[in-house]
Amino acid sequence: MENKLAFYNRLTKQAIAIIEDEPDVIANLSNISALLNMELEDINWVGFYLLKGEQLVLGPFQGKVACVRIPVGRGVCGTAISEDIVQRIDDVHQFEGHIACDAASNSEIVIPFRIGGELYGVLDIDSPILSRFDQFDEEGLVSFINALQKHL
């Protein structure tokens, strides 16, 4: 398997090629979640929650039925958006206030993103594998989101 840096660089190029000529945010987030679901190994849910007032509301995703609304500041996603910082959780069952939408999820990474400079939502990825996401995944996914924000 290619190294993670090369993998995320390739993934970023693929995603930009898919969305660069499409102005609709929901269509683009839908295709991005599908691409990530297709390319990432050992995940069981990937998608977006969009900031609406004091809540995150479910956006485009791939996976099982999910929680529709998450209060800002609650759970891994709500913490990521309220603190505007990536949350990489090795064991979600040890995260105080974790909201279990899928009992099979054991680790999670959540990356806040912006559109037009404004905090817009989070990319949320869950895995049934403990400690699935490492520093290289975090760096690769942050770089991925940073590149995509310019096209959303």
Side-chain angles (χ1 to χ4, degrees), residues 25-26 29 49-52 56 81 113-115 118-122:
V25 172
I26 297 300
L29 295 179
Y49 279 93
L50 309 178
L51 185 59
K52 311 272 184 181
L56 288 167
I81 199 85
F113 71 98
R114 292 176 155 62
I115 295 181
E118 296 293 317
L119 201 54
Y120 198 84
V122 297

Side-chain angles (χ1 to χ4, degrees), residues 5 13 35-36 41 52 56 61 65 80 90 96 108 113 115 120 126-127 141-142 145-146 152:
L5 178 61
K13 288 178 185 165
L35 176 67
L36 290 170
E41 295 178 356
K52 311 272 184 181
L56 288 167
F61 73 95
V65 171
D90 291 334
E96 183 150 350
E108 183 171 9
F113 71 98
I115 295 181
Y120 198 84
D126 294 353
S127 173
L141 288 164
V142 167
I145 286 295
N146 286 340
L152 292 173

Side-chain angles (χ1 to χ4, degrees), residues 19-68:
I19 71 168
E20 67 183 342
D21 294 326
E22 175 52 56
D24 189 89
V25 172
I26 297 300
N28 287 334
L29 295 179
S30 297
N31 272 332
I32 292 166
S33 62
L35 176 67
L36 290 170
N37 189 56
M38 204 170 59
E39 294 290 332
L40 292 174
E41 295 178 356
D42 299 320
I43 65 166
N44 60 325
W45 199 93
V46 57
F48 295 91
Y49 279 93
L50 309 178
L51 185 59
K52 311 272 184 181
E54 290 300 309
Q55 295 182 352
L56 288 167
V57 179
L58 182 64
F61 73 95
Q62 302 277 309
K64 291 184 178 180
V65 171
C67 303
V68 174

Side-chain angles (χ1 to χ4, degrees), residues 127-146:
S127 173
I129 311 294
L130 290 168
S131 302
R132 157 63 180 87
F133 307 102
D134 62 19
Q135 181 178 347
F136 298 107
D137 292 301
E138 181 175 338
E139 290 170 8
L141 288 164
V142 167
S143 177
F144 176 83
I145 286 295
N146 286 340

Side-chain angles (χ1 to χ4, degrees), residues 2-20:
E2 63 191 316
N3 73 44
K4 285 188 178 181
L5 178 61
F7 169 77
Y8 285 110
N9 284 338
R10 179 180 59 78
L11 198 59
T12 300
K13 288 178 185 165
Q14 284 180 283
I16 289 171
I18 291 167
I19 71 168
E20 67 183 342

